[in-house]
Structure formats: structure tokens, C-alpha cells
Amino acid sequence: AFASSAFAAGSIVTVSIWDKGKAAMAPAGDAKPMGMAMMSDAEIIEAMKTAPMGIKVDMAEVPAGDVTFNLTNTSEVMVHEMMVLPLADETKQLPYDAEKMQVDEKAAGTIGEIAETDPGKIGTVTLTLKPGTYLLFCNMPGHYMMGLWTKIAVTG
């Protein structure tokens, strides 16, 4: 009975956003864009090894239903946020405004977010998710392109 009531309460995903401090944005003008589908899968895997910022989740797969994301911004200097976006096609680039250095959230179809979170602070959001693949990313200027994104699978 205890396990089923815990399941009914939904899943909790612990999210950690990190960066390499003040120097994290220094390569922004020279770096290859590390946004999803902007390079080959092999290139992205290689680029992410040295990315100046990123996002880590404690589980990459959760059951459909209520999912709570508990975010910790581990940065000492940068404000971060976390957007949640269902992915219809993982091979397609997100609508990206290069001038603003941000994903067009409305055009992309973002369904929820944890708003700007100061360094060392936490944020939370609970969403009801259907089966599929979702992208978690920071949309502060330049952060998505610098590697601050990951995918999670929601199973049926």
C-alpha cells in the first residue's frame, strides 16, 4: 500500500544546474553551438565533455503523470532557470534567436518553467506529463547554446 500511495503522489526529479563560474560565458562567441540537433550526435557528445555549463538529473526516465522538478542552482555567480519542453522530433533544431541568444519559448512550445533562480538557491515546479521525450534547458541568454540542456523520457 505504501508504494502505491508514493506512486500516486507522482515522481520527484532532482535537478542540478552548474557552470564554471564567471569564465563560463567567455567562449560564447567562439564556441560551436551545443544546442540540440545543431551538430551531429557524436559532435554533441564530444562538445558536452568540455561544456562550460550543464544540467544534471537524478533520473532520466519517469512514469507519466505528475512530475515535480526540484532544481538547485549550484552556480556561485550565475542566475539560471529551467524550461520544460515536449520534443516531437529530437532531430529538429529548436527555434533559436541568435541575436538574443535564446530559444523562442512560445514557438518551441514550452509547457512549464522554474523562473530565474539565484546562485545557491532552489526552485520547484510540478507538471502533469504525458509519455514522450522532454527537454529541460536554461534559456538565459547563451546558456542553452553553451550546453545547459538535457532530455528526460516519460513512459506510459
Side-chain angles (χ1 to χ4, degrees):
F2 179 76
S4 63
S5 65
F7 180 77
S11 301
I12 298 173
V13 179
T14 301
V15 181
S16 175
I17 288 183
W18 60 269
D19 61 57
K20 293 182 178 177
K22 292 178 183 177
M25 289 300 293
D30 301 325
K32 285 187 174 183
M34 289 184 257
M36 187 187 70
M38 293 183 167
M39 296 187 267
S40 71
D41 288 346
E43 288 174 316
I44 287 178
I45 290 168
E46 193 58 34
M48 291 296 235
K49 290 178 184 176
T50 58
M53 54 184 70
I55 185 169
K56 210 164 83 171
V57 294
D58 69 339
M59 60 179 79
E61 186 175 296
V62 295
D66 289 343
V67 178
T68 298
F69 296 96
N70 289 329
L71 167 80
T72 300
N73 179 358
T74 65
S75 176
E76 293 181 6
V77 296
M78 289 190 192
V79 173
H80 292 294
E81 65 182 359
M82 187 189 83
M83 312 305 295
V84 180
L85 168 72
L87 288 173
D89 183 353
E90 295 179 53
T91 65
K92 186 177 176 186
Q93 291 182 21
L94 298 182
Y96 188 76
D97 184 330
E99 202 170 291
K100 291 181 180 177
M101 297 174 50
Q102 292 179 300
V103 172
D104 181 333
E105 296 170 14
K106 188 174 181 179
T110 301
I111 60 168
E113 74 175 287
I114 296 173
E116 291 84 1
T117 305
D118 289 331
K121 300 298 182 184
I122 59 172
T124 189
V125 66
T126 300
L127 302 169
T128 303
L129 302 180
K130 297 177 182 176
T133 301
Y134 292 79
L135 186 72
L136 309 178
F137 67 101
C138 179
N139 207 25
M140 300 299 290
H143 293 196
Y144 169 70
M145 294 296 282
M146 299 302 287
L148 215 166
W149 61 274
T150 195
K151 294 182 272 189
I152 65 163
V154 177
T155 61

